[in-house]
Amino acid sequence: MSKRSATVSPLEAHLGYWLRFVSNQVSHSFSVKLAGRGMSVAEWVMMRELYECDAMAPSALAERIGMTRGGVSKLADRLAVKGMLTRTASAEDRRYQAVALTAKGRAILPKLAALADQNDAEFFAHLKAVERDKIADVMRDIVRRHGLKAVPVD
Amino acid sequence: MSKRSATVSPLEAHLGYWLRFVSNQVSHSFSVKLAGRGMSVAEWVMMRELYECDAMAPSALAERIGMTRGGVSKLADRLAVKGMLTRTASAEDRRYQAVALTAKGRAILPKLAALADQNDAEFFAHLKAVERDKIADVMRDIVRRHGLKAVPVD
DNA sequence: TATTGTTATACTCTATAACTATA
DNA sequence: TATAGTTATAGAGTATAACAATA
């Protein structure tokens, strides 16, 4: 064994390397599917978040999906132009906005969710349920251990 | 159960979601460590690749690390400015270049590799070796099944 | 004509901070 | 003054394609 390989471990020795390798490909494959419907992954994440509630403030969205307020602002702009969401200033405190999906946005979301399901299945459906659960458990545990904040770019 | 949750599965139901969540944090944590030495993750990847050989053509590098030739060109520019690598036109075919680490680049690389080791340990050292191996095996298998190309942003 | 590497353009996402309007 | 949202700037990364030099 040369001194070179003894002092510098190969990239492939890191679990993080393999996670990112697969994760990047899963995300890229999903982004290709979304592009077929004119959507980006970031747009999907924001819409998915809004789907769970009636309305949300941009700052709350930023917190939930791990983006800056500036990023949320630009993203919301794009989605508003596409007719996917609306922004309404609060009556009580006009600094606040209520961001909400439009009927169009709410109608299209299940179709995007189906793409997400399909994409996940393409990469992981061949695994036994026990294996999938085990890996997800490990990942959840790591998130918990590190107190990680949301960066959901499914 | 509402119709809403019945038709749209939650993000957390996807294994891809958890992989990306953890993978993003591992990479971000590594990028912070590298920034302490004035390096980016992409720069680390390119240098790590060059460490394995004496010299490599930019086009070969692009293929190996999953970047475009344009991207490699810009990245190599930055690393050359930092004195980490040199570019030499081939004598036989002057279209070709030999990109190689400088002594400085080769000297600093083990220190960057140590950061990579440390970073991976921070996230995965608590796992049993069997668990780590199992997960890495699953990821390698997925890479093999999909014939995936390199996107090593460890 | 085909190929290598470079450069230019455009777009996404990030981070930081200045700016506005409201309170 | 503090906060919510917007806008501007700069940076790294991607993709595409035009380009020069070389074969």
Side-chain angles (χ1 to χ4, degrees):
Chain A
M1 187 181 285
S2 72
K3 187 180 175 200
R4 186 176 294 183
S5 57
T7 53
V8 175
S9 59
L11 293 176
E12 298 79 13
H14 295 151
L15 186 47
Y17 171 87
W18 291 107
L19 290 188
R20 172 143 289 268
F21 200 143
V22 170
S23 163
N24 277 351
Q25 295 289 345
V26 172
S27 285
H28 182 257
S29 168
F30 185 38
S31 81
V32 169
K33 290 183 176 68
L34 285 173
R37 289 186 162 272
M39 305 290 297
S40 76
V41 177
E43 289 167 358
W44 149 254
V45 171
M46 180 176 285
M47 290 181 63
R48 182 64 185 80
E49 204 62 38
L50 289 171
Y51 190 74
E52 297 292 338
C53 61
D54 290 332
M56 200 183 281
S59 53
L61 263 174
E63 172 79 12
R64 288 279 298 170
I65 67 185
M67 288 182 69
T68 60
R69 286 180 301 158
V72 166
S73 187
K74 282 192 293 182
L75 196 51
D77 273 350
R78 260 186 291 156
L79 286 171
V81 168
K82 293 181 186 176
M84 296 299 177
L85 57 76
T86 57
R87 285 187 277 199
T88 319
S90 162
E92 307 151 7
D93 185 337
R94 295 185 52 77
R95 287 176 304 182
Y96 284 78
Q97 284 183 3
V99 180
L101 288 183
T102 58
K104 178 183 176 187
R106 193 162 282 278
I108 209 178
L109 198 125
K111 298 173 184 167
L112 304 182
L115 293 182
D117 292 342
Q118 179 196 335
N119 195 63
D120 214 65
E122 281 177 18
F123 284 92
F124 306 115
H126 69 287
L127 296 175
K128 293 175 195 158
V130 200
E131 290 177 321
R132 279 200 305 273
D133 291 347
K134 173 63 184 173
I135 294 175
D137 279 346
V138 167
M139 297 303 144
R140 273 188 291 264
D141 183 55
I142 291 172
V143 169
R144 190 182 50 72
R145 281 169 178 268
H146 287 80
L148 302 180
K149 300 160 303 189
V151 183
V153 189
D154 192 12
Chain B
M1 187 181 282
S2 73
K3 188 181 174 197
R4 188 176 292 180
S5 58
T7 53
V8 175
S9 58
L11 293 175
E12 299 79 15
H14 295 152
L15 186 47
Y17 170 87
W18 291 107
L19 289 188
R20 173 143 287 269
F21 200 144
V22 170
S23 163
N24 278 350
Q25 295 289 344
V26 173
S27 285
H28 182 258
S29 167
F30 185 38
S31 80
V32 169
K33 290 185 176 67
L34 286 174
R37 288 187 164 273
M39 305 290 298
S40 76
V41 177
E43 288 166 357
W44 149 254
V45 170
M46 180 177 286
M47 290 181 64
R48 181 65 185 78
E49 203 62 40
L50 289 171
Y51 190 74
E52 297 294 336
C53 60
D54 290 334
M56 199 183 283
S59 52
L61 264 174
E63 173 79 13
R64 287 280 299 169
I65 67 186
M67 286 181 71
T68 59
R69 285 180 301 158
V72 166
S73 187
K74 281 194 293 182
L75 196 51
D77 273 350
R78 257 187 293 155
L79 286 171
V81 167
K82 293 182 186 173
M84 296 298 177
L85 57 77
T86 57
R87 286 187 276 199
T88 319
S90 162
E92 308 152 6
D93 183 337
R94 293 185 53 77
R95 288 176 305 180
Y96 283 78
Q97 283 185 5
V99 180
L101 288 183
T102 59
K104 178 183 175 186
R106 194 163 282 278
I108 208 179
L109 198 124
K111 297 172 184 167
L112 305 181
L115 294 181
D117 292 342
Q118 179 196 335
N119 194 63
D120 213 66
E122 281 177 17
F123 284 92
F124 305 116
H126 70 288
L127 296 174
K128 293 174 194 157
V130 199
E131 291 177 319
R132 279 202 304 273
D133 291 348
K134 172 64 185 173
I135 295 175
D137 279 347
V138 167
M139 298 303 143
R140 273 189 291 265
D141 184 54
I142 290 171
V143 169
R144 190 182 51 70
R145 282 169 177 265
H146 288 79
L148 301 181
K149 301 159 304 189
V151 183
V153 189
D154 190 355

